[in-house]
């Protein structure tokens, strides 16, 4: 099954709340790769970080966050 735009939009939030890609693919009747692709389409450093904590010009902030991701 092809994911609708609304389903694609919901996938990053579902992952952030603890759902696995397996759970999502089962819920939306799609395969794992489609769920993963929808997640990857919506992520970036700017979309996944809380804007109110960020100083966009502060390199130290990015280094700290990227270190946490690693």
């Amino acid at each position: 099954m092809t994911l609708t735009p609304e389903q694609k939009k919901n996938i990053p939030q579902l992952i952030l709340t603890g759902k696995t890609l397996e759970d999502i693919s089962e819920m939306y009747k799609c395969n794992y790769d489609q769920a993963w692709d929808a997640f990857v389409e919506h992520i970036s450093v700017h979309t996944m970080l809380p804007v109110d904590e960020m100083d966009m010009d502060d390199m130290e902030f990015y280094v700290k966050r990227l270190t946490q991701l690693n």
Side-chain angles (χ1 to χ4, degrees):
M1 179 178 158
T2 303
L3 293 168
T4 67
E6 187 63 30
Q7 290 171 327
K8 286 182 179 183
K9 182 180 160 189
N10 291 336
I11 286 176
Q13 189 58 39
L14 290 169
I15 290 172
L16 289 173
T17 60
K19 294 273 188 201
T20 65
L21 287 172
E22 289 86 4
D23 292 340
I24 293 168
S25 62
E26 199 172 295
M27 181 171 59
Y28 285 148
K29 307 292 187 247
C30 65
N31 65 40
Y32 181 94
D33 290 333
Q34 289 172 316
W36 173 251
D37 289 343
F39 177 64
V40 170
E41 282 178 20
H42 287 85
I43 63 170
S44 74
V45 171
H46 298 291
T47 59
M48 300 305 284
L49 294 176
V51 176
D52 57 336
E53 293 180 17
M54 295 191 329
D55 176 0
M56 300 302 285
D57 297 324
D58 184 5
M59 183 181 235
E60 186 177 321
F61 176 82
Y62 286 103
V63 170
K64 178 182 173 188
R65 291 297 183 176
L66 291 173
T67 301
Q68 289 174 338
L69 291 173
N70 195 11

